[in-house]
Amino acid sequence: MNYYSDSMNRLIEELASLPGIGPKSAGRLAFHILDLPEERVKRLADSLVNARSQTRLCKECFNLSDEDVCSICGNPKRDHKLIMVVEEPSDLVAYEKTGQYNGVYHVLHGAVNPMNGVRPENLKLKELLTRLAKEDVEEVIVATNSTVEGEATALWISKYVKQAGIRVTRIASGVPVGGALEYVDEMTLYRALEGRTEL
Amino acid sequence: MNYYSDSMNRLIEELASLPGIGPKSAGRLAFHILDLPEERVKRLADSLVNARSQTRLCKECFNLSDEDVCSICGNPKRDHKLIMVVEEPSDLVAYEKTGQYNGVYHVLHGAVNPMNGVRPENLKLKELLTRLAKEDVEEVIVATNSTVEGEATALWISKYVKQAGIRVTRIASGVPVGGALEYVDEMTLYRALEGRTEL
């Protein structure tokens, strides 16, 4: 690819290395960048560097944060006796977007996956147990993914949280809202049946 | 969107402002950026700023270039008596990728479009005529798009180039290679018929 100027080639190469951006879209993006005011490009570049350098993990819940303690853990209006355990910061964001959860979180940064060498000690699990011993927690909601790894992690957590004498619950599995039964897989249908509630 | 830390929110906002990147992909990209080594992020940011600040237009053909004269115009092995006129730098790149063209280019930076207020004087057309008067040019190949605007621009160019006593040609319109006739539109079929050549 020596069809562009050197600086354009470098830009296209860098953009194309990002996930979901192929050489064609990288080219289109690069031409778009050239049309932007210089100050807008500077702002985009700064936001990249700043996000990477300023973001650290909240020392309470291991959510992404610009401060030592994230805005959720630092919010006195949230219910600190209720901890939702999630695999990734993006899962936390998904629950925050519902606007229906008022407790705090604990981000594991992964799920137990022996095949890929992810063992309980590679996750923020010890930190969860330390939190439970130190703080006055009433319930731990396990919201790991509904995958083999997520379920295994959920079992592991439930064992230790029960030992600590704290209530532990799992988010429901079932038919997605708006989902037509005929397109839902059998395992989900089975779970939906098992988890049925009184009308 | 106040679910992320401030620096992440800013990054996602900046990424989502780029064409073809929605809020979801912006979020995914942002999480990817956090996982990259700090030095890689710095390199990406620098490539953005550098491409924007270093890129200028070649003073001969108005192609994008890091230098005063682009690598094509500066190449003595290219045939400087043959000028291909294209609308955009990306069109030039498309022809360079064929590897079959050894002349030089002239980039108009648009096509005549009175509806959008693009008139001949807004394009690099005067510069083309100056070039033709100054240099020893044998043929001008008009490779503007096969759109209404591209065709109008081609007519406009042909008039002035003929006046200058220089040969002017237009790239062929016809059935795309690999294209099945049944899926080709009528106008293209008509052009293919008109432009038929001896076998």
Side-chain angles (χ1 to χ4, degrees):
Chain A
M1 294 242 299
N2 264 322
Y3 311 117
Y4 303 94
S5 61
D6 287 349
S7 62
M8 277 288 275
N9 276 332
R10 261 197 306 278
L11 174 57
I12 292 173
E13 206 177 284
E14 289 290 343
L15 290 173
S17 75
L18 297 174
I21 300 184
K24 283 235 169 182
S25 357
R28 261 196 303 275
L29 279 174
F31 278 115
H32 175 81
I33 297 291
L34 293 188
D35 284 339
L36 290 177
E38 197 144 0
E39 157 231 319
R40 279 278 333 263
V41 178
K42 185 81 178 51
R43 222 163 61 204
L44 169 59
D46 286 347
S47 72
L48 283 161
V49 173
N50 288 343
R52 179 62 185 78
S53 66
Q54 286 174 17
T55 304
R56 48 193 136 162
L57 299 182
C58 167
K59 68 188 173 76
E60 291 290 321
C61 74
F62 302 95
N63 180 18
L64 302 175
S65 172
D66 288 345
E67 315 290 333
D68 272 354
V69 171
C70 78
S71 58
I72 296 172
C73 288
N75 184 348
K77 286 190 187 146
R78 306 284 298 222
D79 183 354
H80 284 69
K81 294 183 172 178
L82 193 60
I83 297 183
M84 180 185 281
V85 181
V86 293
E87 291 182 20
E88 299 292 345
S90 48
D91 300 330
L92 177 158
V93 169
Y95 255 101
E96 279 300 284
K97 282 182 178 167
T98 67
Q100 301 295 314
Y101 178 67
N102 195 38
V104 293
Y105 293 91
H106 189 88
V107 184
L108 297 176
H109 290 273
V112 179
N113 187 346
M115 302 283 278
N116 291 343
V118 183
R119 291 140 54 102
E121 51 268 39
N122 303 127
L123 307 173
K124 304 292 181 191
L125 279 166
K126 210 172 58 197
E127 289 82 351
L128 172 64
L129 302 180
T130 314
R131 249 179 111 177
L132 296 180
K134 209 177 57 181
E135 295 169 33
D136 178 21
V137 177
E138 281 175 0
E139 182 179 345
V140 172
I141 304 171
V142 184
T144 52
N145 288 335
S146 234
T147 55
V148 176
E149 294 80 19
E151 297 291 354
T153 312
L155 280 178
W156 201 94
I157 294 172
S158 77
K159 195 176 88 181
Y160 285 93
V161 178
K162 272 182 198 156
Q163 276 178 8
I166 295 169
R167 186 180 173 209
V168 54
T169 56
R170 178 90 174 101
I171 55 165
S173 261
V175 179
V177 176
L181 286 199
E182 73 173 308
Y183 300 118
V184 174
D185 65 288
E186 287 113 52
M187 198 59 206
T188 303
L189 288 176
Y190 170 69
R191 290 281 192 86
L193 180 66
E194 262 205 323
R196 67 191 181 276
T197 53
E198 292 290 340
L199 270 184
Chain B
M1 293 243 296
N2 264 324
Y3 311 117
Y4 304 94
S5 61
D6 286 350
S7 61
M8 277 288 275
N9 275 332
R10 262 197 307 278
L11 174 57
I12 291 172
E13 206 177 283
E14 290 289 342
L15 290 173
S17 75
L18 298 174
I21 300 185
K24 283 235 169 182
S25 358
R28 261 195 303 274
L29 279 174
F31 277 115
H32 175 80
I33 297 292
L34 292 189
D35 284 340
L36 290 177
E38 196 142 2
E39 158 231 319
R40 278 277 334 263
V41 177
K42 185 83 179 50
R43 223 162 63 204
L44 169 60
D46 286 347
S47 72
L48 283 160
V49 172
N50 288 343
R52 179 63 184 80
S53 66
Q54 287 175 16
T55 304
R56 50 194 135 162
L57 299 181
C58 167
K59 69 188 175 72
E60 291 290 321
C61 74
F62 303 94
N63 180 20
L64 303 175
S65 172
D66 289 344
E67 314 290 332
D68 271 355
V69 171
C70 78
S71 58
I72 297 172
C73 288
N75 184 349
K77 287 189 186 148
R78 307 283 299 221
D79 182 356
H80 284 69
K81 293 182 172 180
L82 192 58
I83 296 183
M84 180 184 282
V85 181
V86 293
E87 292 182 19
E88 299 293 345
S90 47
D91 300 330
L92 178 157
V93 169
Y95 255 102
E96 280 299 285
K97 282 183 179 167
T98 67
Q100 301 295 314
Y101 178 67
N102 194 39
V104 294
Y105 293 90
H106 189 87
V107 185
L108 297 175
H109 290 273
V112 179
N113 187 346
M115 302 284 278
N116 291 344
V118 183
R119 293 142 53 102
E121 51 269 38
N122 302 126
L123 305 174
K124 305 290 182 193
L125 279 166
K126 210 172 58 196
E127 289 82 351
L128 173 64
L129 303 180
T130 314
R131 248 180 111 176
L132 296 180
K134 209 179 56 182
E135 296 169 32
D136 178 21
V137 177
E138 281 175 0
E139 181 179 347
V140 172
I141 304 170
V142 184
T144 51
N145 288 336
S146 234
T147 56
V148 176
E149 295 79 19
E151 297 292 353
T153 311
L155 280 178
W156 201 95
I157 293 172
S158 78
K159 195 177 89 181
Y160 286 92
V161 178
K162 273 180 198 157
Q163 277 179 7
I166 297 170
R167 186 181 174 210
V168 55
T169 55
R170 178 91 174 100
I171 54 166
S173 261
V175 180
V177 177
L181 286 199
E182 74 174 307
Y183 301 118
V184 174
D185 66 288
E186 287 113 52
M187 199 58 206
T188 303
L189 288 177
Y190 170 70
R191 291 281 194 85
L193 181 65
E194 262 204 324
R196 66 191 181 277
T197 52
E198 294 288 342
L199 270 183

